[in-house]
Amino acid sequence: MIMVFLGAPGSGKGTQARYLYEKFGFEHISTGNLLRKEIELETGLGLSIRKIMEGGRCVDDDIVFQLIEIILSTRQGEHILFDGFPRNINQAKKFDALLAKYNRVIDTVIDFQIIFSKLMERLTGRYICTRCMSVYHKLFNPTNVEGICDKCGHDKFMVREDDKPRVVKKRLEVYEEQHQSLREYYLDRLKLYDLDADLDVAIVHRNLLVLLQKHMNR
Ligand code: AP5
């Protein structure tokens, strides 16, 4: 099964993807995480994209597809969840063509719906375990024991460079420019389901499971 999560920065895609990985073993492919890994490792690619990502702009489609093709060519037949990819209509069209090359299709696309005014607070309060990359929030989703990761027990956390308010503003602008046409592309293909992402984490998760159950029983 191939599933795609669409949604604004901070709408909760990564948080829910993690739950699906833990519950059903969906491989979670976040293009943001893949790109950040390149930066961390200081690869040639990483050095060329650092400024773009820190500015909140989109990385070139060709670079993103280099990474996606590696994933598809090495994970044939596995359940994969793409989080934050495709991000624009060009990527969506190109992704369909690439999937066809590997005899695969997108099964379902979930669009995380939330009002924009909530997102700044979500992103500027986010912190991430540096060992297992579990995502938390100072107010909405803190660790059970302060300073200790619930999942792996590690005690070091980081905040993302692009979660600074000025960069968040740019990311939201970029998202707004691209989202409607992407949404229409999947609506036309009857693949798109809306999910209310403006609820408590556990309720969003429950509703997502109900939605997936309905989809699987179609
Ligand atoms: P990427 O890493 O994909 O970031 P994003 O799409 O902007 O999404 P986020 O990871 O910020 O948010 P999320 O929806 O996963 O929210 P989360 O679950 O963490 O992309 C980063 C950059 O990489 C882009 O700007 C671009 O430069 C580049 N890039 C990536 N993909 C690309 C592509 N395909 N093409 C070109 N460039 C690309 O939750 C956020 C916070 O809210 C957390 O603190 C969490 O604990 C909390 N939270 C989650 N759910 C809830 C809830 N229900 N209620 C309250 N709080 C909640």
Side-chain angles (χ1 to χ4, degrees):
M1 182 174 188
I2 301 269
M3 183 156 43
V4 168
F5 279 0
L6 306 182
S11 56
K13 306 180 295 297
T15 300
Q16 297 300 330
R18 176 94 193 189
Y19 288 137
L20 290 191
Y21 163 71
E22 285 166 3
K23 208 165 180 119
F24 301 114
F26 268 92
E27 181 157 13
H28 173 205
I29 300 297
S30 150
T31 38
N33 285 346
L34 294 177
L35 294 164
R36 276 186 291 280
K37 193 83 201 158
E38 297 289 328
I39 293 177
E40 192 188 314
L41 295 174
E42 298 187 333
T43 62
L45 184 71
L47 294 173
S48 72
I49 60 177
R50 168 172 244 138
K51 277 219 152 53
I52 297 173
M53 287 182 70
E54 287 178 1
R57 288 171 289 124
C58 265
V59 172
D60 190 79
D61 290 352
D62 290 341
I63 292 180
V64 175
F65 273 89
Q66 280 175 34
L67 301 172
I68 294 295
E69 177 129 31
I70 293 171
I71 301 291
L72 288 178
S73 62
T74 52
R75 273 92 155 170
Q76 290 171 27
E78 288 173 33
H79 294 315
I80 309 179
L81 164 52
F82 289 92
D83 159 9
F85 171 86
R87 225 165 177 95
N88 57 47
I89 188 126
N90 283 340
Q91 288 188 3
K93 289 178 182 166
K94 224 172 144 180
F95 188 38
D96 281 345
L98 188 62
L99 284 170
K101 181 174 154 189
Y102 291 96
N103 293 317
R104 304 199 70 170
V105 286
I106 292 176
D107 293 280
T108 185
V109 178
I110 311 285
D111 194 2
F112 283 58
Q113 303 275 322
I114 182 166
I115 50 168
F116 261 38
S117 56
K118 300 277 178 82
L119 296 172
M120 183 63 82
E121 193 180 18
R122 279 203 187 180
L123 289 169
T124 52
R126 170 164 59 186
Y127 59 103
I128 301 167
C129 171
T130 54
R131 185 195 280 158
C132 73
M133 306 307 284
S134 289
V135 175
Y136 299 96
H137 190 280
K138 280 191 271 187
L139 301 176
F140 308 134
N141 188 24
T143 51
N144 292 328
V145 178
E146 202 186 328
I148 302 292
C149 176
D150 297 350
K151 301 279 182 257
C152 75
H154 195 51
D155 61 356
K156 294 207 171 31
F157 297 86
M158 56 124 169
V159 293
R160 271 171 48 176
E161 270 299 313
D162 61 352
D163 281 348
K164 292 177 180 150
R166 179 185 52 81
V167 187
V168 169
K169 202 165 159 272
K170 179 67 188 170
R171 287 165 63 199
L172 293 176
E173 277 169 27
V174 170
Y175 169 81
E176 219 172 4
E177 276 163 23
Q178 300 180 328
H179 182 67
Q180 192 53 33
S181 55
L182 189 58
R183 185 178 158 80
E184 281 163 14
Y185 182 82
Y186 290 121
L187 271 175
D188 287 349
R189 282 155 186 78
L190 305 178
K191 304 229 176 192
L192 192 108
Y193 296 83
D194 285 334
L195 180 70
D196 185 353
D198 199 357
L199 302 167
D200 184 78
V201 177
I203 299 174
V204 175
H205 183 55
R206 194 196 58 201
N207 292 346
L208 174 61
L209 293 184
V210 170
L211 210 154
L212 290 179
Q213 199 66 49
K214 272 193 204 151
H215 171 75
M216 283 167 186
N217 292 337
R218 267 192 327 174

